[in-house]
Amino acid sequence: MKRIHIIVWCLCTLSVLTTQAQKITIKTGLEVLKEQRFQCLEGKRVGLITNPTGVDNHLRSTIDILHAAPNVNLTALYGPEHGVRGDVHAGDKIDSGTDPATGLPVYSLYGATRKPTPEMLKDVDVLVYDIQDIGCRSFTYISTMGLAMEAAAENNIEFVVLDRPNPLGGLKVEGCIVEDGFFSFVSQYKIPYIYGLTCGELALMLNAGKKPGEACKLHVVKMKGWKRKMDYTQTGLQWIPPSPHIPHAHSAFFYPVSGIFGELGYASIGVGYTIPFQMFAAPWIKAAELTRRMNALRVPGVTFRPIHLKPFYATNKGEFIQGVQVHITDYRRAPLSDIQFLFIQEVAALYPDRAVFAHADSTRFQMFDKVCGSNHIREGFMRRNRWEDVRPYWYKDVERFKKQSKKYYLYK
């Protein structure tokens, strides 16, 4: 009986420790705004750009919080990709309409227009932005933010960012900056692929780069307690999927691991299976030999494991395929975006008749280049499929960007 009591006590202690590990350690910009009793919005007509990730620490929607606040006059909602309530599939266009819960007009920023028009802003004095981003340039929410800031400046409207954590932390920076000819909604700004800033810090940097008279009146409601070394799992905050294929906080770690390669549709990256962005697999791959090759590279903080599966949808739907699952064992050391380029290299070495850029659908090269922010990455690989030839170009802007972006840091 005593042994049973000890076991029960141990289990209870473990449960308490697990609960304590999930304790919220920071306050988002929304929580701070609530503490300040919405002071910066008082007496103004408020437009809100948000989606389901805009929640407080009790998972209440920013829409509902502002709508219920007695001193806030919420007049309009603006929907990015997926919509304000998250009821639109990835990539699908969004129609303007009315929010059933509040009766407020909802204007689409992912349809006929991606920038708020003067007509959309006619009843607004201040635009509020509250969306959880994933810290990667090709995720479209920061593009929506930047275009809305331009519209705010053009229409003499204030812009308020309710800051949220960068899930990748504020120290990791990878990738070249976007070059002329490759700007798009998935590469809107001259920033690296992984840029190491919160959305509030990025907004400050974008605003500072405007010509005189083109900057908006910007206010960032800072978080409390967040530090640059924190990834999302260290915040204690619940994770709300910003996209169907980013279901967990750690999914944000893997998005840059395979997302660029995924634009080619040449092999499965786990989209359509239970581990999106965490793997590379195809019918012609032999899992064991690819795993040996990938592990032999000794990528810091990363281990590869053989995997066999049958995707439910997307690339290789219904086919039995095999390859490698990516396991991040030391996040701080892991070079996230490198992994997909090393996979391209090893495919060419193991399966010369399957070399990616010699056999992938060339009509998808343009999107690959846009997400890379340059065509130099693809063209470098097409010469001899060696990452060592391409890596210096991929990282050429990182140190300069780190130095330039530090002046916009809001957190230590």
Side-chain angles (χ1 to χ4, degrees):
M1 183 64 71
K2 185 177 180 181
R3 181 177 295 176
I4 293 173
H5 287 162
I6 291 172
I7 293 171
V8 170
W9 180 85
C10 289
L11 289 173
C12 290
T13 302
L14 180 60
S15 177
V16 169
L17 290 173
T18 303
T19 302
Q20 288 176 340
Q22 296 301 313
K23 183 179 179 181
I24 296 175
T25 59
I26 73 162
K27 290 183 178 179
T28 64
L30 175 58
E31 287 295 327
V32 175
L33 181 72
K34 287 162 55 183
E35 276 187 353
Q36 297 171 348
R37 299 183 184 276
F38 312 99
Q39 193 172 14
C40 66
L41 305 180
E42 201 161 17
K44 302 167 186 175
R45 298 172 298 173
V46 178
L48 175 62
I49 305 168
T50 194
N51 70 0
T53 67
V55 294
D56 70 1
N57 287 5
H58 303 285
L59 302 181
R60 293 179 299 175
S61 168
T62 310
I63 300 172
D64 301 327
I65 290 168
L66 295 188
H67 187 250
N71 60 335
V72 175
N73 180 18
L74 185 61
T75 59
L77 304 174
Y78 301 86
E81 185 176 5
H82 304 296
V84 294
R85 298 288 185 178
D87 53 357
V88 182
H89 186 66
D92 288 356
K93 303 304 179 187
I94 299 170
D95 296 324
S96 295
T98 302
D99 177 47
T102 62
L104 292 170
V106 179
Y107 296 105
S108 170
L109 299 182
Y110 199 77
T113 181
R114 294 183 176 178
K115 179 178 177 179
T117 64
E119 179 66 19
M120 292 178 180
L121 299 171
K122 64 181 180 179
D123 296 319
V124 171
D125 302 311
V126 55
L127 271 176
V128 177
Y129 178 90
D130 188 24
I131 295 177
Q132 176 62 61
D133 192 52
I134 68 165
C136 194
R137 183 180 67 206
S138 59
F139 223 60
T140 63
Y141 298 141
I142 58 170
S143 300
T144 295
M145 180 182 74
L147 291 175
M149 288 171 62
E150 291 179 11
E154 292 163 3
N155 291 275
N156 196 29
I157 289 172
E158 297 175 51
F159 199 88
V160 173
V161 176
L162 305 183
D163 213 4
R164 290 186 175 272
N166 183 328
L168 305 183
L171 300 176
K172 198 175 284 290
V173 178
E174 298 178 13
C176 58
I177 63 172
V178 183
E179 299 169 356
D180 292 341
F182 297 95
F183 290 97
S184 69
F185 205 55
V186 293
S187 287
Q188 189 91 5
Y189 313 112
K190 285 195 171 184
I191 60 175
Y193 185 63
I194 298 174
Y195 50 85
L197 300 171
T198 68
C199 55
E201 292 172 333
L202 178 60
L204 289 171
M205 189 180 76
L206 295 176
N207 211 39
K210 295 293 184 183
K211 296 176 182 177
E214 293 183 358
C216 66
K217 185 179 179 182
L218 175 64
H219 173 59
V220 177
V221 181
K222 290 174 56 178
M223 295 179 283
K224 290 184 179 180
W226 190 77
K227 296 178 176 60
R228 310 204 74 77
K229 64 182 181 181
M230 286 183 171
D231 63 56
Y232 199 90
T233 63
Q234 295 168 305
T235 66
L237 295 171
Q238 291 293 317
W239 180 257
I240 309 295
S243 170
H245 295 129
I246 311 292
H248 311 291
H250 66 258
S251 305
F253 304 167
F254 288 96
Y255 180 82
V257 164
S258 63
I260 298 176
F261 171 75
E263 294 294 342
L264 297 172
Y266 190 60
S268 175
I269 57 171
V271 171
Y273 194 58
T274 55
I275 47 173
F277 302 109
Q278 297 182 44
M279 51 166 275
F280 302 92
W284 39 268
I285 289 174
K286 295 180 180 178
E289 65 180 11
L290 178 60
T291 301
R292 283 194 297 271
R293 293 280 304 209
M294 296 297 287
N295 281 326
L297 297 172
R298 300 187 182 278
V299 181
V302 179
T303 298
F304 301 93
R305 184 186 71 86
I307 187 170
H308 302 76
L309 68 146
K310 187 181 289 187
F312 306 118
Y313 59 91
T315 305
N316 301 123
K317 173 185 175 181
E319 293 184 74
F320 184 74
I321 61 176
Q322 53 183 299
V324 294
Q325 181 175 355
V326 182
H327 293 264
I328 297 175
T329 56
D330 186 340
Y331 174 75
R332 292 188 183 184
R333 296 176 62 226
L336 303 180
S337 59
D338 294 32
I339 297 169
Q340 62 209 315
F341 300 129
L342 289 168
F343 170 74
I344 293 172
Q345 169 186 287
E346 295 308 307
V347 163
L350 276 173
Y351 316 109
D353 60 337
R354 297 285 186 175
V356 173
F357 292 110
H359 297 90
D361 182 356
S362 62
T363 64
R364 303 182 73 152
F365 287 177
Q366 184 181 33
M367 182 55 72
F368 180 93
D369 293 348
K370 284 181 178 179
V371 176
C372 283
S374 169
N375 61 350
H376 282 82
I377 309 306
R378 176 178 54 82
E379 291 179 351
F381 266 109
M382 291 178 79
R383 284 190 281 273
R384 63 175 198 145
N385 289 300
R386 297 295 297 171
W387 173 227
E388 65 190 36
D389 298 343
V390 183
R391 190 183 185 282
Y393 199 91
W394 183 242
Y395 280 95
K396 67 182 175 61
D397 304 313
V398 164
E399 292 306 318
R400 179 162 53 91
F401 180 81
K402 284 182 178 179
K403 185 176 179 180
Q404 290 174 344
S405 62
K406 275 184 179 178
K407 66 181 76 171
Y408 306 107
Y409 283 5
L410 296 173
Y411 315 94
K412 294 182 179 179

